[in-house]
Each structure stands twice: as structure tokens, then as C-alpha cells.
Amino acid sequence: AIVGTAVCGLLICRRLARSSGRLDTAGTGRASSIEPHEVAEVKKKVKAFASVAEEVQGRMAFRLSYEPVADDAPAGPGHKIVHFVRHGEGRHNVAQRQWRASPLWDGHSEPYTLDTDPTGRYIDAELTVRGVQQAVALRARTARLCPDLLIVSPMRRATQTALLAFAPHVAACAMPIIAHELAHETAGRHTCDRRLSRTALATAFPAVSYSEVHSEEDPFWADGITRESSLSLATRAAAFADWLAARPEMRMVVVAHSGFLCAMMTAVLVPASHTPHTQPHP
């Protein structure tokens, strides 16, 4: 089956404008400079995910196509409206920026690995004050939305972003909120990408259902040394996309992470212009 997904992007903290190399903060249209290493890393990720796209898409239960649409666009037959949101600035983002600005930086280390963060200062990093402001600023846009379901990564910075950006919806109990393990950021090696226990998260965010988080501890942390591969992350994003496609809701919001969303947009979803709608899934 082919399911169309109309994508309304709300990538609030690292939305890259291809033509200008600028950053749109909080979806306001105001651009600010981004660091060269960020552009280089995005290009590297896109290349890696593109290399596994055919393999990943071939395993999926649905072939999913997408096209950007306006926030208030109707969900036509066979289509869903999905708003993808990247979390606001986290403590780990600031730590990395300061780490790399040091004249002593070796060009490859990060401030949140087991050797540089032995006490776990950045485990499941939360939003900074600026990150909170970015999420709150997004309400001007989310006020126009009427989602049937809000889905969040179980990691705190994504959950915080969702609850702040959609605070009026949450207060009105306008839609269920589900944390989904598959929307986890690229896992392993970075302490900032190791989530808290399920019990701790459920206590911290009582408005969120953790029915799709089945393990008490982070199942993707592994040995804490190895970083998750592009194929593994893309496969996980594909499984999440299949789950989305099978859901009954027609208008959904997904609040997650740059690596996860890059995998989704590069290795999982196919532009509608590239998808022959009469072609069945193999």
C-alpha cells in the first residue's frame, strides 16, 4: 500500500535553509548564522542515510510519500498531515559549542562521552533557557493546529519542547500525548542521548503516556561506547513511520531530534514527485 504523508515542517532549532546556509530560529523566518561544522555534519548524515535508503524502504510495510503543505491543509483521501518538530536548544548543544570553541579542542572529541562526562552531567539533556523560549515562541504557530495525536521522543528535551509548544492544547486535554521509543535520537556513546528510566520520565511528565516505551532503561545505550549506525537509525525511523501510517489519526505531531528526523526525511519518506501512485509495494 502507498500512503501519502503531507509534511508540515516545524523544525524549531536547526532548520537549515539550503540556499542561504542560515538558521531559522523557532520557525519565525528570522535567520541567524550557523557554524560550518553543523553544515558539514548535516551533509555527512544526509549522504549516509541516502546510502541505506533503498534497503530500508524495501523492508517497510508501507511505501510512504510526502509533500510539504500549509499548516491548515486538509488531509485528503489516503493522506495524513504530520508536523515534524525538532526540539529546542539543549544543554548539550551549548556544551558542544563551547567545547569546540576551545583552542585545545582536538577536532573530534565531544563533551558528553564516558571519558569526558564520567559523572553523567549531560544524561538525557534538558532544554536551556533559550530552548524553553524557542518552544514557547512556537505557540504562535501551533495555535492554528488541531492535531489528533502528539507523539514525542522519550528524551526530555523533546518532551519538554512538545509540552511547552502545545501547552494550550495540553491544558485543554485536546489530544493524547504518547512517548515512542522509536523516536529516540541517534543512540550510544553520547551521554546526552541516553534517556532516563521509564519510571523517572513518567513521574516527570504525567501528561504523557509511556505505553510505547517498553523498557525501564534505555534499550539503545548498549555498551555506551559504540554510536548507533546510520542503517540502524534509519531502520528504526522506518518502523516508526510504519507505526504512524497504521494509526487511525489523520493529523499528528512528532517532536524528536535532528538525527532521527534526518533519517526520516532522507532514508524513509519519498518525495511524492518520485513516487508513482500506481506502483504497489514489492
Side-chain angles (χ1 to χ4, degrees), residues 159-181:
T159 303
Q160 289 172 325
T161 298
L163 295 179
L164 288 167
F166 288 88
H169 299 71
V170 175
C173 299
M175 73 279 168
I177 309 168
I178 298 177
H180 205 302
E181 193 82 86

Side-chain angles (χ1 to χ4, degrees), residues 41 96 99-100 105-106 108-113 115-116 190:
E41 287 173 3
Q96 184 194 57
W99 184 270
R100 294 188 176 195
W105 184 48
D106 56 13
H108 59 81
S109 64
E110 299 288 7
Y112 33 63
T113 54
D115 54 339
T116 58
H190 295 170

Side-chain angles (χ1 to χ4, degrees), residues 194-273:
R194 181 181 186 179
R195 70 160 171 82
L196 296 185
S197 69
R198 185 182 188 277
T199 299
L201 292 171
T203 300
F205 305 110
V208 179
S209 166
Y210 287 87
S211 58
E212 294 294 336
V213 176
H214 305 298
S215 300
E216 175 65 13
E217 301 299 334
D218 191 332
F220 302 123
W221 179 243
D223 60 7
I225 299 174
T226 306
R227 192 70 167 154
E228 185 176 18
S229 70
S230 297
L231 178 58
S232 173
L233 178 52
T235 300
R236 178 155 59 79
F240 177 78
D242 277 338
W243 180 84
L244 277 184
R247 293 288 304 187
E249 295 86 1
M250 300 306 295
R251 306 185 73 94
M252 295 178 281
V253 175
V254 177
V255 185
H257 310 267
S258 59
F260 175 83
L261 293 172
C262 187
M264 180 70 72
M265 300 300 175
T266 307
V268 178
L269 301 179
V270 179
S273 59

Side-chain angles (χ1 to χ4, degrees), residues 111-121 123 191:
Y112 33 63
T113 54
L114 290 178
D115 54 339
T116 58
D117 184 23
T119 61
R121 289 175 299 164
I123 286 179
T191 55

Side-chain angles (χ1 to χ4, degrees), residues 8-10 26-28 69-73 81 83 137-147 165-166 168-169 251 253:
C8 301
L10 304 176
T28 62
V69 298
D71 287 347
D72 58 355
I81 303 293
H83 303 266
L138 195 58
R139 290 179 192 167
R141 189 168 177 181
T142 63
R144 303 193 298 268
L145 306 181
C146 297
F166 288 88
H169 299 71
R251 306 185 73 94
V253 175

